[in-house]
Amino acid sequence: MTFFEPLPPDADPREPQPTGWAPPVWDRPSEAMLGAPVSMSALIVRTARLALAVNAVMAHPNGFTFALVYIGNPLEPRPPGGHGMLHPGVAGPGRGPRIGLEFADGTRTVDHSFRIVDGRVHRPEVPKDEDGVPTVPVLQPCGGGGGSHQFAMRYWCFPLPPPGPMDLHLEWAHMEIPETKVTLDGDAVRVAAERAVTIWAYEPGDA
Amino acid sequence: MPFFEPRPPLPDPEEARPTGWVPPLWDRPSEATLGAPVPLVELLATTDRLALVLGEVVAYPNGFTFTILIQGNPMAPRAPSRSGMLTGPGAMFRAPRVGFAFADGTLVREEYSTSLPKDERGIPTVAILRSQGGGGSDRRYELRYWCFPLPPPGAMDLYVEWADFDVPETKVMLDADAIITAAGDAVVLWEPDE
């Protein structure tokens, strides 16, 4: 008698089946669409040690993505054998940079990723309507990567901003960066979203 | 007796020394420069299974970076045991082939030779296209590239081909001037003599 149960037979790879995919409503951009780039970039802060910038803004019909880029100063003296900087988690759980958006209509949103509170994972609750769609703007990370000198963290914001400017706020106490904001053009994001392209059309029952 | 030798002590943070870093001339963008994004996205090819997309073009004074996004069709039927587009029995992931034709007739293909023709300063006298790695999943994958130098003014053609995934040789015309103009907006964050 073996410890593990026998594996089920491998499915026949020649028999593809529907994936059941449907376009996401709010939690991410559609994988079947090509977002439109927004001509937008801003240096948020620069210290002797690092710089933070926002770029790679992409507009989709149901929201937009952007990248928060961390750039380490390659000239900064460091101990022999020591690596460069940093990435969002270098300061420890809950000690990375805090970011948020403030829209022209007064609504605000902060990073809705989980936090460690008293040793427990805490994910902020988001109010939703009867269809399960948030009734407030949602900002959440959607991956990232990089090396010891540069790191990009991507964010997804639902929905598109209202008309007018929008402020991106950032604070990173661990790196001695006080609360700072840059003003971005929300209209540029809204206009760009109209240029998003459907790559594969969805019809209910297709997938 | 342990297998590993004892580690040397960690360096004292107080012993910080200059890194000796100098701005790269040609083999990569400067780590001390914030590149300027070029609002350019092109759908290069679409099949029932995947799409190839040019995106995230970023201009620097000495060249530009861009990504080739491989986006899987989320509706493409697949076998239950296979998770995404880049897997399958005996699947071998060979990257798409990418290249440029500049307005002055220069052809640029991926080049990793160590014997490039160079001038007296060690700078290649030919245009260079090199992979900078990539990442993703079997449903979405990004390949990043570096091209040295900036293109000459005028139209430039981007060529892509991925026969392994039924993408024939395809070209799209891009505006090199947009890349050149954006490069002027790159921000030097730190200078070596600061």
Side-chain angles (χ1 to χ4, degrees):
Chain A
M1 181 179 174
T2 59
F3 180 79
F4 294 107
E5 296 292 325
L7 283 170
D10 196 12
D12 187 345
R14 294 167 299 182
E15 293 181 6
Q17 296 178 8
T19 61
W21 180 89
V25 175
W26 70 271
D27 65 328
R28 63 188 194 278
S30 168
E31 294 84 356
M33 291 198 74
L34 177 59
V38 185
S39 183
M40 184 180 288
S41 174
L43 177 62
I44 304 169
V45 64
R46 181 185 66 163
T47 71
R49 187 176 187 192
L50 81 159
L52 291 168
V54 58
N55 65 20
V57 184
M58 297 285 288
H60 301 261
N62 60 337
F64 63 101
T65 59
F66 62 91
L68 182 63
V69 184
Y70 307 68
I71 306 170
N73 181 352
L75 294 159
E76 186 197 26
R78 62 180 61 114
H83 291 292
M85 42 158 254
L86 34 118
H87 52 80
V90 70
R95 296 296 174 196
R98 296 195 291 180
I99 74 164
L101 292 167
E102 184 172 16
F103 300 112
D105 64 359
T107 55
R108 297 177 171 192
T109 181
V110 296
D111 180 356
H112 278 75
S113 58
F114 71 87
R115 303 281 182 196
I116 306 295
V117 179
D118 296 331
R120 302 179 67 178
V121 175
H122 172 72
R123 191 177 295 276
E125 288 292 325
V126 177
K128 297 176 181 171
D129 65 16
E130 62 275 11
D131 296 320
V133 180
T135 54
V136 296
V138 176
L139 177 66
Q140 57 190 25
C142 55
S148 60
H149 288 283
Q150 184 159 328
F151 193 97
M153 178 61 78
R154 292 174 194 258
Y155 290 86
W156 163 248
C157 182
F158 163 86
L160 288 170
M166 59 183 185
D167 291 333
L168 186 149
H169 295 261
L170 181 141
E171 182 255 15
W172 199 1
H174 183 81
M175 290 294 168
E176 299 174 349
I177 296 174
E179 189 167 307
T180 305
K181 75 172 181 180
V182 292
T183 300
L184 306 172
D185 182 3
D187 293 328
V189 179
R190 296 174 60 85
V191 170
E194 296 172 3
R195 299 197 305 269
V197 173
T198 298
I199 305 174
W200 298 284
Y202 172 77
E203 294 290 340
D206 270 2
Chain B
M1 180 179 175
F3 180 80
F4 293 109
E5 295 291 326
R7 284 183 188 269
L10 285 169
D12 184 347
E14 299 300 317
E15 294 178 3
R17 298 176 188 172
T19 61
W21 180 89
V22 293
L25 294 176
W26 67 272
D27 65 327
R28 63 190 192 279
S30 168
E31 292 84 356
T33 296
L34 175 62
V38 184
L40 188 60
V41 167
E42 290 285 345
L43 182 59
L44 304 173
T46 308
T47 72
D48 289 342
R49 192 175 180 189
L50 57 82
L52 295 180
V53 178
L54 166 73
E56 295 204 18
V57 183
V58 180
Y60 295 85
N62 62 337
F64 63 100
T65 59
F66 63 96
T67 62
I68 297 293
L69 166 66
I70 305 166
Q71 175 65 59
N73 180 351
M75 292 171 279
R78 52 179 169 259
S81 60
R82 310 298 173 198
S83 55
M85 62 182 172
L86 300 176
T87 58
M92 177 75 79
F93 185 162
R94 294 194 296 185
R97 295 198 287 182
V98 181
F100 293 108
F102 291 151
D104 63 0
T106 301
L107 302 180
V108 192
R109 299 182 181 89
E110 281 190 73
E111 171 61 71
Y112 300 96
S113 170
T114 56
S115 57
L116 295 168
K118 296 178 181 174
D119 65 15
E120 65 278 7
R121 295 173 298 163
I123 299 175
T125 55
V126 295
I128 304 295
L129 178 61
R130 287 185 168 175
S131 167
Q132 285 196 313
S137 68
D138 59 353
R139 300 182 186 189
R140 177 188 169 90
Y141 202 95
E142 284 186 342
L143 298 160
R144 180 165 293 278
Y145 296 87
W146 162 247
C147 184
F148 163 86
L150 289 170
M156 57 189 269
D157 291 328
L158 166 64
Y159 287 84
V160 65
E161 182 258 14
W162 205 12
D164 292 353
F165 285 84
D166 302 321
V167 177
E169 184 169 304
T170 304
K171 76 170 180 180
V172 296
M173 187 179 294
L174 307 174
D175 179 11
D177 294 335
I179 300 175
I180 298 167
T181 301
D185 295 329
V187 177
V188 177
L189 299 166
W190 301 282
E191 298 272 13
D193 58 353
E194 260 189 16

